[in-house]
Amino acid sequence: MLHANQAAHAWQGSLERDPWVGGMSPQARSRFFQRLSDLGAVDEFEVCWSGGGTPTWALISARLIDYQGQRAVLSTFTPINKMKLMESRLELWAKVFEASAESLIVMDADMRIITVNQAFRRHSLYDLVELVGKRPGFLLAPDNSPEQLDSLRRTLARRGYWQGEISVQRKSMESYPAWLVMNAVRDLDGVTTHFIASSLDISERKASERQIEHMAHHDALTGLANRHVSKLRLAAAIAQARRSGEKVGVLFVDLDRFKHVNDALGHHVGDALLQSVSKRLLQLVREGDTVSRLGGDEFVVILNGIGDAQAIAALLDARLIPAMREPHQVEGNELYVSCSVGVAVYPDHGDDMDTLMRHADAAMYQAKSGGRDHARMFTPQMQEQQLQQLHLESDLRHAAERQELVLYYQPRIDARSGCLNGVESLIRWQHPQHGLIAPDSFIPAAEESGLIVSIGAWVIREACRQQVAWREAGMGDIAVSINLSAIQLKSGGLAATLREVLREFAVTPGQVEFELTESILMDNVDDTIATLHAIKALGFALSIDDFGTGYSSLNYLCRFPLDKLKIDMSFVQDIHGSPQNLAVTKTIVGLGHTLGLSVTAEGVESAADADVLRHAGCDELQGYYFARPMPQAQFIVWLAQSAAPRAA
Ligand SMILES: Nc1nc2c(ncn2[C@@H]2O[C@@H]3COP(=O)(O)O[C@H]4[C@@H](O)[C@H](n5cnc6c(=O)[nH]c(N)nc65)O[C@@H]4COP(=O)(O)O[C@H]3[C@H]2O)c(=O)[nH]1
C-alpha cells in the first residue's frame, strides 16, 4: 500500500497486509487483475469486499498509473450495499411476479402494457412481444357489456381501483371468465404512473357453481326439472297465459305398477326404466314445455300455450299413452310399462298453481282407480270423490273397533268331484253411511297408513274363529284361505300373531291357507322365504295368488314352501275365446304340477269356463259360476242347498 486517503482506511485492515488478498476471493481477484492487465483500467467491478472486516458490496474502479516512479494501481471504492439490497428485493419481486398464479399485467400511465407475467401468458396464449406497448382493450371478449366496461373505466379513474367479473379473450379467440382487480399506482404527488391488472381464471369455479345450481333445480336420476322448478315454471306459464288468453295444461303422470319392476328386477333396473320414461316424455313435448320428476315414479308435465283443452286430450290419447306402452329396452330387459295421467287445465280447472296441481293429482288418482293405463281430465266431482276418500280413510281407523268389518266367503270347488274344497275369506266394510264397501276401495289406503296390520290380524282371527264355529255347528272342518298383504308380511309380528291365534282357537292349521301375490313374494326374497318357513312350520298352508301377472323368478319359486298356485283371473276369463289365455293357463298348470303344487283357477263365470279349465288340468275352481263371495249366514244356506257336496 503506497497511499490511502482517509475514507479508504475503512476498506483496509492492517496496512502491512496485501489488501487484495484479504479483500476478494481468489477467483474475483484473478478476474480483476486480468482485466486490469488487459485494458489498463477496470471500471465498476462489482465485488463483495472483505478487506475492512465486515463484508461489504462495493464497486471498485482501478487504473494502472506511475506513482513516484513506480508502477502502481490507483483504485476507488464505492459502497453499494443498499443498491444490492434493493436489487435482491427487486429480483425477489420479479420472481414472485413471474411465479404468481394470478395473471398480472403492468401498464404505464397511458395504459400501454409494459409487461405481463407467465400466468397471463399461459391463459391468454400471447407472447410478451405481442403485448408490450399495446392497450389491453383487445384482450376483452365481445360479450362484456358496454355498461360494464364503462363502469370499469369511470371507477378506475375516480377511485383508482375496480374489481369485478370480466370475460377475457384468448389469442385463439375463445374467451374465459376472470375475476379482475385493477389498481392505479400513484407517485408521492398523487400522479398515476402505472396500472396493475391482476386476474384469476374462474372457469372452474363458474362450472361448479353451474353444477350446484343444476343440482338444486334438477332431479339427479333423470336430469329433469325437480319439484321446485316445476312449480316456478307453472307459475310463469300461468302468468304468461293470463296475458295471452291461452291455456296451460298440467299433467300428473304416474307409472302403473312400477313397484313391481323395482321389487322383481331390482332398483338399478327401476332407475334405468325411469330414465327411459323421462327421455320419452321429453320427446313428446314441445320446446318450452316442462317435464319434471316429483320423485318416485311421479312426473309432472306442463304444456304451455294451449288453444283448448281438447288439444291436450288428443295429445294424451294419440301420443303420450301409446308411447308409454311401447317397450323400454332396459339393461337387457324388454320392459312394458303403462301410465295413468291426470290433467288439470288453466283456467278451466283452477287459476292458481296449487289448485291446478291438486286437481291434476285428483284426476290421476281417478285414472288409477278407474283401471290404469289411461288419462282423465279433472272434473269437479273428482274433488268431491277425493274428499270422500279422505273421510273414508279417517273412518277406517275406527272401522275394526266399531265392528264394521265383515268377512265374506267364496267357495272353492274341487275341479273333478265338484265338492267343496274350502272357502276364500274376503273382507268387506259395512260403512254406516256408504253401505258395503269392497276391499279394493279401502285396502290400498289401509296399506298406505299401516292399518292393514291390525285389520289383517282381525281377518286372521275372524276366519279362524269362524272355522271353529262351523266345526262346533257340526259342519266339520271347512278350509279357509286368507289374503295377506305385503305390509303384514314385512311388519315382523306375523308369526307371533299366528302362534297367538293357534293358542286361542282350536283350528287345524293345515286347513288354514294364506294367499300371497307374486309381487309380495318377490319383494325382499330372503326375508320372505324365512317368514314363509316360519308360517309353514306352524302347519299352515301357503298359496300364490294372481299368478301370471307379476315377474316371478322360477328360480325363487322353487325355494318358497308353497302348496298351491292360483292362476290370475285375467287368463281365466274368456278362456274359451282366447287360445293365448288357454295356452298360458295350460303352461301354468304344467308348471304348478311339475313343482308339486295344486293349481286353482279363479274368476270362473260359466259352465263353459269350468269345462275348459277342468280339461286344462286345474285342480280347483272358484268363481261367480259356483257362488259369489257371501256372508257366513248365506254361505250356510248355500252349502245346504248347493249341488256342491262336502269333500269326503
Ligand atoms: N269378476 C269376477 N270376480 C270374481 C269372481 N270370483 C271371485 N271374484 C272376485 O275376485 C277377487 C278375488 O280375490 P283376490 O284375487 O284375492 O283379490 C282380493 C284381495 O287381493 C283383496 N282382499 C280381499 N280381502 C282381503 C283381506 O282380508 N286382506 C287383504 N290383504 N286383502 C284382501 O281384495 C281383492 C278383491 O277382493 P274382492 O273384491 O272380494 O274380489 C274377489 C272376488 O270377489 C268371478 O267369477 N268374476
Side-chain angles (χ1 to χ4, degrees), residues 256 321 325 339-342 366-368 370-376:
D256 298 330
I321 302 276
R325 288 188 200 127
C339 64
S340 302
V341 185
Q366 291 296 322
K368 279 253 180 253
R372 303 185 169 97
D373 193 20
H374 70 288
R376 284 275 176 92

Side-chain angles (χ1 to χ4, degrees), residues 607-620:
D609 286 352
D611 250 8
V612 176
L613 289 160
R614 206 172 289 122
H615 281 108
C618 291
D619 305 293
E620 189 179 68

Side-chain angles (χ1 to χ4, degrees), residues 68-141:
Q68 295 175 347
Q70 315 182 39
R71 264 169 68 81
V73 179
L74 173 66
S75 24
T76 60
F77 290 80
T78 312
I80 54 163
N81 262 355
K82 269 197 183 158
M83 265 171 62
K84 280 305 273 187
L85 191 69
M86 280 167 63
E87 197 180 280
S88 69
R89 276 199 195 148
L90 273 176
E91 257 172 40
L92 180 66
W93 285 122
K95 278 184 191 149
V96 171
F97 176 78
E98 270 303 298
S100 168
E102 285 185 36
S103 295
L104 298 170
I105 308 177
V106 181
M107 288 159 279
D108 64 16
D110 197 25
M111 280 237 178
R112 288 185 189 279
I113 296 174
I114 297 173
T115 187
V116 302
N117 72 348
Q118 197 191 10
F120 183 77
R121 294 196 298 276
R122 200 174 52 242
H123 282 115
S124 69
L125 308 176
Y126 282 106
D127 284 335
L128 184 60
V129 285
E130 295 172 290
L131 299 166
V132 171
K134 293 191 179 142
R135 289 210 170 89
F138 71 100
L139 296 168
L140 298 171

Side-chain angles (χ1 to χ4, degrees), residues 539-590:
F540 294 104
L542 289 170
S543 69
I544 178 162
D545 201 5
D546 303 339
F547 189 80
T549 50
Y551 296 90
S552 283
S553 151
L554 295 182
N555 178 29
Y556 287 138
L557 215 53
C558 313
R559 293 172 56 198
F560 296 125
L562 297 169
D563 301 283
K564 186 192 279 181
L565 282 188
K566 291 185 87 173
I567 305 174
D568 189 65
M569 244 185 269
S570 56
F571 301 113
V572 171
Q573 287 171 344
D574 192 31
I575 191 149
H576 48 271
S578 156
Q580 287 94 337
N581 282 3
L582 180 59
V584 172
T585 304
K586 282 184 174 166
T587 308
I588 297 177
V589 171

Side-chain angles (χ1 to χ4, degrees), residues 409-415 422-426 481 483 513 515 543 545 564 566-567 569 572-573 599-606 609-610 613 618-629:
Y409 300 93
Q410 186 177 35
R412 301 181 339 233
I413 308 296
D414 184 279
V423 290
E424 178 177 0
S425 64
L426 292 155
S481 52
N483 287 284
E513 174 183 299
E515 296 190 4
S543 69
D545 201 5
K564 186 192 279 181
K566 291 185 87 173
I567 305 174
M569 244 185 269
V572 171
Q573 287 171 344
V599 180
T600 302
E602 52 183 340
V604 183
E605 293 189 350
S606 68
D609 286 352
L613 289 160
C618 291
D619 305 293
E620 189 179 68
L621 305 174
Q622 180 185 341
Y624 293 171
Y625 169 64
F626 301 102
R628 287 183 176 252

